[in-house]
Amino acid sequence: MNSYEGSLESFRASVQQVLFQVISAYWNLRAAAENLTISEEALDLANQQFERNTIQVEIGTLAPSETVQAETQAANAALGLLQSQNQL
């Protein structure tokens, strides 16, 4: 009887551990999905800023160096998007 009860408790502990792992995996997936959404929005905003800066440089109201900075930010946002996709 002691062996049966010990086996039953061991089984319960194993089930609890699996449940904990599943719940953790779910929330990690949700967090990765949210990070992906944020990264997509960041890339979109960086591209919009680059386009606005390019137009302002063409008009002459902004220094060309600002376009380089916006392009760098867009490239960094693209890298962040790729990292988020890989994480997901």
Side-chain angles (χ1 to χ4, degrees):
M1 191 62 152
N2 286 339
S3 177
Y4 170 75
E5 289 178 12
S7 294
L8 186 58
E9 287 303 316
S10 178
F11 174 73
R12 286 182 182 154
S14 295
V15 168
Q16 288 177 342
Q17 182 64 28
V18 168
L19 285 175
F20 175 76
Q21 290 173 344
V22 168
I23 291 168
S24 293
Y26 171 77
W27 286 112
N28 288 338
L29 178 63
R30 288 288 310 229
E34 285 297 316
N35 284 338
L36 179 61
T37 301
I38 291 168
S39 295
E40 288 170 343
E41 292 173 4
L43 178 59
D44 186 44
L45 291 172
N47 284 333
Q48 288 176 13
Q49 184 65 43
F50 174 69
E51 291 172 7
R52 282 192 298 269
N53 285 5
T54 301
I55 291 170
Q56 288 181 338
V57 166
E58 289 173 1
I59 294 172
T61 60
L62 193 66
S65 63
E66 295 296 324
T67 302
V68 173
Q69 183 179 8
E71 187 176 19
T72 301
Q73 289 174 345
N76 287 336
L79 176 61
L81 178 61
L82 288 174
Q83 290 171 339
S84 294
Q85 288 171 337
N86 286 335
Q87 183 181 9
L88 183 62

